[in-house]
Amino acid sequence: MSSTHGHEATCETFSRQPRDVRVAIVGAGFSGLGLAIQLKRTGMNDFVVIERAAEIGGTWRDNTYPGCACDVPSHLYSFSFAPNPDWSRAYSPQSEIQAYLRDCAARFGVVPHIRFDEEVIAAEWDSDSRRWLIITNRGRLTAQALALGSGPLSEPAVPVIPGLDGFSGTLFHSSQWNHAHAVGGERVAVIGTGASAIQVVPRIQPLVERLTVFQRTPPWILPRHDHAIPERRRALYRALPLTRQLERASIYGRLEIGVLGFVYRPALLKRIEALALRHLRVRVPDAALRAKLTPNYAMGCKRILLSDDFYPALTRDNVEVVTDRIREVRARSVITEDGAERPVDTIILATGFHVTDLPIAERVRGRGGLTLAHAWRAEPRAYLGTTVAGFPNLFVMIGPNTGLGHSSMIYMIESQLAYIADALRLMERKRLDAVEVRPEAQAEFVAEMRRRMRPTVWLTGCASWYLDAGGRNTTLWPGFTWEYRWRTRRFDPAAYRLW
Ligand code: N01
């Protein structure tokens, strides 16, 4: 394993922290904090959360770009065990979600367990001691179980564009917004038209001199209908919690209907396509611009986006939508395949994340020293998206095939929390050192995922970050979320080697 840097300098701090714990959790975002809270609620205190940043929140800490907000209604995009009657809007802004997470961490007493500014450099399963040996930039610790809560949206994907390195203006990724730099009055390029870009563009358009949006694939966009939640309604939620629960249940039910179209009958989405096309027609009167923005693939194949202000922003005089491929970036301009050169002062990469090639997988070694990245070189695989053959006592939060395109990831995360906590309880009860999913149980699950993926809209021919390098959808859960909840309600020892 690689050596740590800065180890001596931080030895004193490190010596005050536990060297051996029952559970080490990587990341203090929704899933890592959720697991910490779950452990705390079930009376388990012997755990640490290793967080490389100085603050909690994961993707909701990192993404501070103008307009950043959730595209799932917040009454569902929150922990069921920590309801918040005070969400200010139907779709909460980033700052409110991060404040919510901070509040949850404090309320459930998990903050003292978090080791901030500490990054996992390597983690290796030691078969002799039957523990994970974890090396961080601050030293080393051992743990019986390792839970990866580092998430699929933590590593920005930087596109490979010739000359990008030599750009002499300002360049940053949407998830690393440069707040020290004001884009007002500048010529700005936004590369990408995904969930992040469509939130950024309407916010910066009124400020900049010229905005060039480089679009590779037009997204399907539906109206968002965001609105403030009036104080009297919030007061009702506070006074009568049942009303808030009903609101949550109704959002859940409404979104879950989408599964019928995404998974079972993609043809059903045709009706929704008509709504999206109408939205486009109403918002974009110019036929040439509309043609550029009209998707040529089945709706739902890529994530459906929600926005009321993206299309109107694109119709403004200072905005140009460019669909020609980018050929190269020069010191102060972007050149497209047709040879056109557009001068720019700032380039914003709204180009997404490393989702199916998680960098943390390079750092985790299971039995026999095999890295998770190596085990996943053909495709990411995990039983119930959570446990991996060859990696005892490893739990992957938001692992392969647990993602959603239609509803709240917090629901899936909570399903995993119950499963992991139950596994840990069983280990305690039966005095087990380790649990490791049987390869055949994992293979059966993977085969099931592949089979169930076949009729879905996600495999109808578009390129998307749902797909891995081999074109398989190893990202999404191909079914109703309540089925996943049911299957993870209890740890199932029959699928595991226990020792
Ligand atoms: O990233 P994306 P994102 N040249 O991968 C384009 C979540 N999220 O940051 O479609 C030119 O969706 C790429 O083009 P194409 C949510 O789960 C949630 O926007 O691949 N363009 C695409 O347009 C979301 O899905 C919220 O052809 C290039 C864009 O960049 C996920 O985060 C809010 C390119 C990337 O879109 C990621 O969203 C925001 C290149 N070389 C985000 N490479 C919520 O509200 C890529 N692109 C919960």
Side-chain angles (χ1 to χ4, degrees), residues 161-175:
I161 301 175
L164 195 60
D165 283 351
F167 182 63
S168 66
T170 308
L171 171 80
F172 53 88
H173 189 274
S174 56
S175 70

Side-chain angles (χ1 to χ4, degrees), residues 65 69-71 153 159 192-196 216-217 302-303 350-352 465:
Y65 59 77
C70 190
D71 58 8
L153 301 181
T193 49
S196 302
R216 194 163 64 177
T217 316
K302 294 161 92 77
R303 190 178 170 100
T351 42
W465 59 263

